């Protein structure tokens, strides 16, 4: 196929799609140029369905190449390794709207690879990759129900903006990513600054209008170069086997679905499923392969009966598996201070979902360093989510977090970050960790509730507490009947059509995430779900506030204390010293305090002991202090000359106390009134070219009848200026003429 090129002017930016030249051996491939962002998307599928699979094996990847932003990767190998957190989250974001559009029973392995080749930070590579993934599938021979597209929506100065640039994103009160088909939205990811539900709904609908434009453009490309879709065999159970299993087990399974307690319900259903498998395993078959398939199908049919009953009860009877009303929240419990040595801790329980959260405070130099294709260089707030297998009563792998853990952690981080104080208000790196100890639905939202309480227990002055709740949907696409559920549990999530997570404060939304299994969600469903979620959040917040209703004023005794000062940026080099000599000396002498210094002169000092902080502050202040005219000091005499004394004001700063400024009375010899080591009160009267002149007599009352010495106006040879005014030695301005004295010398460091 020859190269073909398609263009679209989209919201003032150029999109170009090229196909037929690069990656021609893939089933479908496109090169998407979005301004200077370039992404190659390629889709491939296996020729045959994988045997024995009971799920659709779809893999979507987002490959970040650091050359795309002119970076050489960090680390020893200096090459890209495991996916960054940003790449993992982007891959999930592309996967979620694509997955529901493959036919039920499709079992061929499909892989969509999006390689980021060039990045223009003002033209989203993530949205370009989503467009490319959809087009690569649509023009291929792989059966796919697209196209889909995604856009980012911002709210800048009261106006919605599609795919905002960096400057607009910085000012936006909404960070919304939506994806879907021309008919409806099927994926939402959002953060917001306590935005109300009506505004968020309008943002969703604004995004959908832009998605329609991108889908129309894709249809033009598909019409021009799309391949004919291949014929595939969709997996379906044997009709005779299904009839027999339903006849024997359906009534008992439907009855077991209504058992209220999760583990008892699961145990009863599992026993029935196992009984069906054992029955068919005992029969005679032509081969072991045929036997294994019959056993697998018997189990799948039982699970299908379970799903049908859950959905029927909710849609028709408005009855949930655990007996709750559709808008009822499970029993709540909130606690703080479980762990004595951590900086902050809390536990939140909702029904059979339970999370322990801890908060740890650290110096700003403990921020997470980010090495990916985004503009973000480091991250001050980290929210990590752990989901051990025992939380659902299972045995499983323990190790590095998977995509699910990373995704849930990012959602919680987004929700909580919107209420955190600024670095200036609270100069700490902050890490919250959610340990899921029990789970039956919506553990990510429980981690937000527990995280809020642990932050407040740690003394982090958050703007408002945040609570989260997961909304569900059971929908009959044929009849259009649906039911929106509040606080879904595991079974409702597994057999339902939507997982819509909403987190926010009493005032408004801080984060959203939606995944669906149907083709799309309408405006009316969104509106109903947002309204129910608002009421649920208020109930949950009330329970949380019963445990802790405001951030603590004092930090934990085990948390680092802090002090902030501003110094002249020109003094930073003096504080650090050659090769770090000065700052290392301060750290060593002050019990290993931590010191952060910004280029603007902001100095932050951390330590458990306030006394160590104060000692470090004093030393830094001594290095950075500058004398000002009018300042008064108790100074120490460090050097005596015939024309005056040098006195130490502070640190390494000395001043010249001229003999004429020692007293209102005439002083013939400095040694007559001052000795080395004497302390004397002085006032700074002049600073010239960095030299400080001080006066002691300026602090003394003028004697009665004192007369100013007469000044000799006769010109002096060394003070003449051609055609100009006479110049006076400022040290002799207030005294009678004397024999010539040496001028003030550079102050020397005190011995």
């Amino acid at each position: 196929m020859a190269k073909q090129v398609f263009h679209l002017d989209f919201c003032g930016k150029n999109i170009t799609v090229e196909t037929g030249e690069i990656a021609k051996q893939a089933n479908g491939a496109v090169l998407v140029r979005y301004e200077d962002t370039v992404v190659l998307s390629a889709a491939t599928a296996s020729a045959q369905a994988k045997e024995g699979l009971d799920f659709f094996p779809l893999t979507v990847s987002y490959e970040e190449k650091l050359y795309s932003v002119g970076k050489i990767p960090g680390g020893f190998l200096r090459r890209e390794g495991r996916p960054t957190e940003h790449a993992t989250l982007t891959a999930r974001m592309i996967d979620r709207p694509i997955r529901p559009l493959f036919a039920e029973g499709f079992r061929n392995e499909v892989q969509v690879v999006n390689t980021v080749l060039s990045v223009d930070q003002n033209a989203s590579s993530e949205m370009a990759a989503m467009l490319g993934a959809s087009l690569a599938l649509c023009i291929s021979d792989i059966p796919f129900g697209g196209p889909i597209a995604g856009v980012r929506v911002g709210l800048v100065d009261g106006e919605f903006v599609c795919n905002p640039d960096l400057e607009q994103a910085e000012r936006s009160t909404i960070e919304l990513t939506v994806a879907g088909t021309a008919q409806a939205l099927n994926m939402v990811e959002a953060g917001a600054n306590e935005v109300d539900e009506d505004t968020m709904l309008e943002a969703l609908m604004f995004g959908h209008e832009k998605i329609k434009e991108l889908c129309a453009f894709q249809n033009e490309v598909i019409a021009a170069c799309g391949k004919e879709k291949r014929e595939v065999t969709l997996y379906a159970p044997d009709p005779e086997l299904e009839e027999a299993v339903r006849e024997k087990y359906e009534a008992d399974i439907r009855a077991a679905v209504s058992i209220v307690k999760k583990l008892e319900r699961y145990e009863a259903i599992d026993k029935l499923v196992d009984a069906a498998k054992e029955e068919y395993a005992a029969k005679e078959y032509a081969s072991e392969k045929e036997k294994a398939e019959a056993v697998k199908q018997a189990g799948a049919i039982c699970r299908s009966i379970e799903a049908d009953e859950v959905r029927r009860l909710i849609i028709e009877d408005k009855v949930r598996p655990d007996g709750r009303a559709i808008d009822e929240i499970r029993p709540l419990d909130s606690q703080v201070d479980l762990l004595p040595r951590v900086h902050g801790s809390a536990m939140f329980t909702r029904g059979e979902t339970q999370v322990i959260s801890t908060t740890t405070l650290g110096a700003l130099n403990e921020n997470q360093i980010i090495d990916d294709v985004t503009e973000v260089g480091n991250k001050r707030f980290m929210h990590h989510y752990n989901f051990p297998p025992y939380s659902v009563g299972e045995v499983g792998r323990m190790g590095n977090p998977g995509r699910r853990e990373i995704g849930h952690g990012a959602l919680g981080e987004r929700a909580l970050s919107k209420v955190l104080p600024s670095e200036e208000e609270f100069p700490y790196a902050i890490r919250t960790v959610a340990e899921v100890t029990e789970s039956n639905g919506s553990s990510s939202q429980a981690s937000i509730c527990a995280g809020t309480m642990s932050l407040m227990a740690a003394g982090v002055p958050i703007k408002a507490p945040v609570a989260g709740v997961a909304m569900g949907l059971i929908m009959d696409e044929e009849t259009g009947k649906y039911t929106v559920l509040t606080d879904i549990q595991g079974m409702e999530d597994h057999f339902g059509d939507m997982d819509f997570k909403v987190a926010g404060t009493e005032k408004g939304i801080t984060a959203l995430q939606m995944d669906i299994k149907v083709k799309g969600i309408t405006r009316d469903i969104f509106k109903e779900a947002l309204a129910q979620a608002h009421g649920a959040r208020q109930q949950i917040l009330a329970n949380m506030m019963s445990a802790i209703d405001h951030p603590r004023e004092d930090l934990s005794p085990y948390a680092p204390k802090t002090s902030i000062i501003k110094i002249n940026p020109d003094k930073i080099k003096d504080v650090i010293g050659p090769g770090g000599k000065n700052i290392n000396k301060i750290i060593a002498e002050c019990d290993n305090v931590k010191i952060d210094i910004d280029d603007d002169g902001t100095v932050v000092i951390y330590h458990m002991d306030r006394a160590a902080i104060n000692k470090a502050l004093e030393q830094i202040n001594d290095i950075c202090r500058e004398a000002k005219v009018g300042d008064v000091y108790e100074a120490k005499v460090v050097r005596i000359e015939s024309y005056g004394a040098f006195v130490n004001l502070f640190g390494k700063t000395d001043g010249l106390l001229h003999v004429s400024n020692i007293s209102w009375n005439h002083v013939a010899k400095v040694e007559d009134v001052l000795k080395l080591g004497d302390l004397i009160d002085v006032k700074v009267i002049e600073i010239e070219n960095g030299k400080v002149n001080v006066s002691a007599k300026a602090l003394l009352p003028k004697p009665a009848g004192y007369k100013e010495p007469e000044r000799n106006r006769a010109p002096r040879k060394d003070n003449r200026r051609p055609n100009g005014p006479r110049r006076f030695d400022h040290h002799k301005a207030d005294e009678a003429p004397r024999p010539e004295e040496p001028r003030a010398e550079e102050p020397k460091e005190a011995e």
Side-chain angles (χ1 to χ4, degrees):
M1 182 172 64
K3 178 179 177 180
Q4 293 179 271
V5 182
F6 306 87
H7 299 281
L8 174 68
D9 183 354
F10 183 66
C11 298
K13 294 178 181 176
N14 181 57
I15 295 177
T16 301
V17 171
E18 303 172 12
T19 187
E21 181 179 41
I22 300 175
K24 295 187 291 295
Q25 295 186 48
N27 293 86
V30 294
L31 191 74
V32 177
R33 298 182 182 273
Y34 183 29
E35 294 292 305
D36 285 344
T37 290
V38 183
V39 178
L40 173 63
S41 297
T44 50
S46 61
Q48 301 293 329
K50 275 200 168 185
E51 287 189 14
L53 282 184
D54 56 359
F55 65 93
F56 169 40
L58 169 67
T59 304
V60 177
S61 66
Y62 178 82
E63 302 292 323
E64 291 182 319
K65 303 299 182 182
L66 291 190
Y67 56 70
S68 66
V69 289
K71 285 185 184 179
I72 294 175
F76 181 76
L77 296 177
R78 297 293 178 186
R79 68 174 298 164
E80 292 84 0
R82 61 179 295 181
T84 65
E85 184 174 297
H86 174 256
T88 298
L89 294 172
T90 303
R92 276 171 52 88
M93 186 173 64
I94 297 170
D95 180 299
R96 284 154 49 196
I98 285 174
R99 189 175 292 271
L101 300 183
F102 286 90
E104 185 69 30
F106 186 65
R107 295 291 184 265
N108 296 55
E109 188 172 9
V110 176
Q111 185 177 48
V112 183
V113 179
N114 303 280
T115 306
V116 182
L117 303 174
S118 175
V119 174
D120 175 351
Q121 298 293 354
N122 289 316
S124 170
S125 57
E126 299 87 349
M127 296 303 96
M130 188 176 289
L131 179 72
S134 173
L135 265 173
L137 287 166
C138 285
I139 67 171
S140 75
D141 63 343
I142 303 168
F144 174 63
I148 63 100
V151 295
R152 284 184 168 160
V153 178
L155 181 59
V156 183
D157 299 330
E159 298 290 331
F160 292 121
V161 178
C162 180
N163 290 348
D165 58 29
L166 288 177
E167 186 274 332
Q168 291 170 325
E170 186 70 24
R171 295 189 292 121
S172 178
T173 56
I174 290 179
E175 304 162 18
L176 171 65
T177 301
V178 289
T181 65
Q183 289 71 44
L185 297 177
N186 65 2
M187 193 282 295
V188 175
E189 193 82 56
N193 297 337
E194 299 181 273
V195 169
D196 64 82
E197 282 76 10
D198 288 341
T199 302
M200 184 60 75
L201 181 60
E202 292 308 314
L204 291 167
M205 295 303 105
F206 173 84
H208 189 219
E209 291 303 313
K210 301 302 178 183
I211 287 170
K212 291 177 183 178
E213 294 180 32
L214 292 175
C215 288
F217 171 62
Q218 289 183 71
N219 283 327
E220 294 176 14
V221 178
I222 296 163
C225 59
K227 299 177 183 176
E228 184 179 349
K229 297 301 181 183
R230 69 172 76 166
E231 292 290 332
V232 294
T233 301
L234 300 178
Y235 171 81
D238 178 76
E240 292 182 6
L241 178 62
E242 181 168 11
E243 184 179 353
V245 171
R246 283 184 175 274
E247 183 178 347
K248 185 168 183 179
Y249 294 98
E250 185 165 6
D252 291 339
I253 292 173
R254 289 184 182 275
V257 166
S258 296
I259 297 174
V260 173
K261 290 191 175 181
K262 169 190 169 182
L263 294 182
E264 291 180 17
R265 179 171 63 249
Y266 285 3
E267 184 180 2
I269 295 171
D270 287 346
K271 283 182 178 178
L272 291 166
V273 173
D274 291 342
K277 288 181 175 179
E278 289 169 8
E279 178 185 342
Y280 283 89
K283 295 180 181 295
E284 294 292 331
Y285 298 94
S287 66
E288 283 297 317
K289 180 179 178 182
E290 189 177 324
K291 174 182 175 180
E293 181 63 22
V295 170
K296 186 182 77 170
Q297 287 193 19
I301 293 163
C302 289
R303 293 300 180 187
S304 177
I305 295 168
E306 179 187 7
D308 290 345
E309 179 63 7
V310 170
R311 296 173 64 84
R312 186 197 67 78
L313 284 170
I314 292 172
I315 292 178
E316 300 295 337
D317 301 340
K318 306 299 182 185
V319 173
R320 302 172 72 169
D322 58 3
R324 280 183 293 149
I326 60 172
D327 60 352
E328 184 180 347
I329 300 172
R330 289 170 290 176
L332 304 172
D333 180 66
S334 299
Q335 301 178 37
V336 295
D337 301 333
L338 279 78
L339 309 173
R341 287 276 178 161
V342 303
H343 300 165
S345 66
M347 183 169 72
F348 179 79
T349 307
R350 183 197 295 121
E352 295 170 306
T353 294
Q354 184 180 77
V355 174
I356 294 174
S357 175
T358 59
T359 294
T360 307
L361 306 177
L364 290 174
N365 60 16
E366 295 181 71
N367 288 1
Q368 181 183 358
I369 297 171
I370 306 297
D371 189 22
D372 59 26
V373 301
T374 67
E375 285 281 279
V376 180
N378 63 78
K379 190 164 65 174
R380 172 201 179 205
F381 174 56
M382 297 149 277
H383 175 77
H384 295 148
Y385 169 97
N386 297 318
F387 191 90
Y390 67 75
S391 66
V392 288
E394 295 177 357
V395 176
R397 181 188 69 87
M398 296 285 290
N400 292 328
R403 282 190 170 196
R404 181 178 180 276
E405 285 80 4
I406 291 172
H408 282 5
L411 174 61
E413 186 172 292
R414 191 180 307 117
L416 294 170
S417 66
K418 303 303 180 181
V419 297
L420 291 178
S422 66
E423 283 189 14
E424 292 72 26
E425 296 170 307
F426 194 71
Y428 288 93
I430 306 168
R431 181 184 185 230
T432 54
V433 178
E435 305 288 356
V436 180
T437 54
E438 190 178 355
S439 179
N440 184 15
S442 195
S443 57
S444 66
Q445 300 309 286
S447 81
I448 293 169
C449 300
T452 291
M453 293 190 294
S454 75
L455 285 167
M456 291 196 290
V460 180
I462 61 174
K463 299 170 187 174
V466 179
V469 65
M471 310 302 294
L473 174 74
I474 307 294
M475 184 177 188
D476 186 334
E477 291 189 275
E478 291 183 6
T479 65
K481 290 183 178 180
Y482 69 88
T483 299
V484 174
L485 302 172
T486 297
D487 179 26
I488 56 174
Q489 59 179 314
M491 179 178 281
E492 293 164 339
D493 184 10
H494 183 66
F495 296 131
D497 298 316
M498 176 180 79
D499 183 8
F500 188 23
K501 302 179 176 79
V502 186
T505 65
E506 184 178 10
K507 180 180 175 183
I509 295 167
T510 60
L512 287 181
Q513 186 181 85
M514 185 193 77
D515 296 307
I516 65 169
K517 299 169 189 173
V518 291
K519 292 185 177 179
I521 298 295
T522 63
R523 179 190 182 101
D524 289 342
I525 295 175
F526 272 122
K527 187 173 183 177
E528 187 173 336
L530 287 169
Q532 279 186 216
H534 178 84
R537 287 205 319 273
Q538 309 316 309
Q539 294 180 51
I540 296 167
L541 283 169
N543 185 268
M544 292 162 55
M545 296 303 96
S546 68
I548 182 168
D549 60 3
H550 65 276
R552 288 186 173 139
E553 295 182 4
D554 298 322
L555 301 182
S556 161
Y558 304 107
K561 313 304 182 292
T562 182
S563 281
I564 308 173
I565 57 170
K566 277 273 193 181
I567 65 173
N568 185 333
D570 295 337
K571 292 285 185 179
I572 293 175
K573 63 181 184 298
D574 299 325
V575 174
I576 295 173
K581 176 183 175 182
N582 293 348
I583 197 164
N584 287 333
K585 181 172 180 287
I586 295 170
I587 290 169
E589 291 180 355
C590 301
D591 195 19
N592 292 315
V593 296
K594 291 183 179 180
I595 302 174
D596 288 340
I597 304 178
D598 284 345
D599 291 341
D600 65 355
T602 301
V603 179
V604 189
I605 306 172
Y606 306 87
H607 199 273
M608 303 288 191
D609 185 1
R610 182 65 64 181
I613 292 176
N614 292 339
K615 184 177 179 181
L617 279 173
E618 185 178 350
Q619 293 192 25
I620 292 172
N621 281 329
D622 282 346
I623 294 172
C624 298
R625 282 174 73 182
E626 295 179 336
K628 296 183 178 63
V629 173
D631 287 353
V632 175
Y633 298 93
E634 183 183 53
K636 182 179 180 179
V637 178
V638 294
R639 181 172 146 214
I640 294 177
E641 301 289 349
S642 60
Y643 50 86
F646 286 96
V647 295
N648 180 249
L649 306 180
F650 53 84
K652 296 182 179 181
T653 300
D654 292 348
L656 172 62
L657 176 60
H658 193 269
V659 66
S660 63
N661 284 317
I662 295 175
S663 173
W664 291 104
N665 299 318
H666 176 70
V667 176
K669 292 180 66 179
V670 177
E671 293 90 335
D672 291 342
V673 292
L674 294 175
K675 295 182 176 58
L676 288 176
D678 283 354
L679 298 177
I680 182 171
D681 291 335
V682 296
K683 181 178 181 179
V684 178
I685 57 173
E686 183 182 43
I687 300 174
E688 186 177 9
N689 297 326
K691 298 177 181 179
V692 181
N693 294 318
V694 299
S695 171
K697 76 178 186 181
L699 298 174
L700 302 173
K702 188 181 293 188
Y706 176 80
K707 289 186 178 180
E708 295 285 345
E710 293 183 5
R711 291 182 172 85
N712 185 356
R713 299 290 182 181
R716 295 176 59 174
K717 185 175 181 180
D718 61 335
N719 278 344
R720 294 177 189 269
R721 288 184 181 177
N723 302 319
R726 296 175 56 206
R727 184 178 66 207
F728 291 89
D729 187 329
H730 68 276
H731 291 307
K732 304 167 189 172
D734 295 328
E735 61 178 278
R738 298 184 168 193
E740 191 74 5
E741 295 178 345
R743 296 184 65 80
E745 297 181 14
E746 184 74 36
K748 295 182 180 177
E749 181 176 341
E751 296 293 336

